[in-house]
Amino acid sequence: MKTPSIIKALAAILLISAIVSAMASCGIYSFTGASYGTAKTVSIDYIQNRSTYVNATLSNTITEALKDRFITQTPLTLVKSGGDLHFEGVITGYTISTGGIKAGETAANNKLTITMKMTFTNSTAPELDFDKSYSRYTEFDVNSSFASVEQGLVEEIVKLLIDDIFNDSVVNW
């Protein structure tokens, strides 16, 4: 009377096979919601800074943050060039402006805005390629010196820009 246990074992094997087959047919997915299709590698060119005001570390900060996102949140291998997924970009703006006006027509706060253009190429799914501009800002107190808050503002904005680029390139919801 071992027939029921054999049937259970076969049913379990069939269920596991169906799940693995379904996952394989849909491409590679991660817990971040990212989908890479058949891509195995990613390459990220150094992002040049062509803004009027140049923050000396911004190019490196954005380039390394994008690399880090793909290394830590995808199974893709980072390669120097020619990746299945490829990024190149340029920083086009780094500006400080008035963020808002309070009573008496004085500035309530200031804002730092970083603007960039990214080109994404997906050699495994060219229909997902894009050239896109990104712009993010964060506000800071008008009474704060920019030099004292700049690093924290840049970190905050870079995180937002990287989220946007990552989502647009591999989280195709």
Side-chain angles (χ1 to χ4, degrees):
M1 298 297 147
K2 296 190 182 217
T3 306
S5 61
I6 291 172
I7 292 173
K8 286 181 185 178
L10 286 172
I13 290 170
L14 288 172
L15 179 62
I16 291 169
S17 296
I19 291 171
V20 168
S21 176
M23 289 175 68
S25 68
C26 295
I28 301 171
Y29 288 89
S30 76
F31 292 112
T32 63
S35 172
Y36 324 104
T38 59
K40 303 278 188 257
T41 60
V42 60
S43 55
I44 300 166
D45 289 352
Y46 186 75
I47 297 167
Q48 299 294 320
N49 192 341
R50 296 207 180 109
S51 63
T52 305
Y53 176 84
V54 176
N55 172 313
T57 60
L58 187 58
S59 288
N60 191 60
T61 300
I62 292 176
T63 302
E64 293 305 315
L66 188 57
K67 287 179 180 180
D68 186 58
R69 177 65 61 90
F70 276 88
I71 289 169
T72 60
Q73 293 190 8
T74 74
L76 301 172
T77 302
L78 181 66
V79 295
K80 200 166 184 117
S81 63
D84 297 328
L85 306 182
H86 179 74
F87 294 87
E88 54 189 290
V90 61
I91 300 162
T92 56
Y94 189 90
T95 57
I96 303 165
S97 60
T98 303
I101 305 297
K102 63 182 178 181
E105 296 188 25
T106 59
N109 49 37
N110 290 325
K111 67 180 180 179
L112 171 64
T113 303
I114 299 175
T115 307
M116 60 186 299
K117 184 173 189 285
M118 286 298 293
T119 300
F120 170 68
T121 307
N122 183 334
S123 65
T124 64
E127 67 276 8
L128 299 176
D129 293 358
F130 63 77
D131 283 312
K132 189 168 182 181
S133 291
Y134 293 90
S135 184
R136 287 295 194 143
Y137 71 90
T138 191
E139 295 183 348
F140 61 99
D141 190 284
V142 72
N143 297 315
S144 300
S145 78
F146 180 65
S148 69
V149 297
E150 182 177 15
Q151 183 177 347
L153 299 172
V154 167
E155 288 172 5
E156 184 178 335
I157 295 169
V158 167
K159 182 188 178 318
L160 296 171
L161 289 168
I162 297 304
D163 286 346
D164 291 343
I165 295 164
F166 185 82
N167 289 339
D168 286 349
S169 60
V170 295
V171 182
N172 303 308
W173 290 13

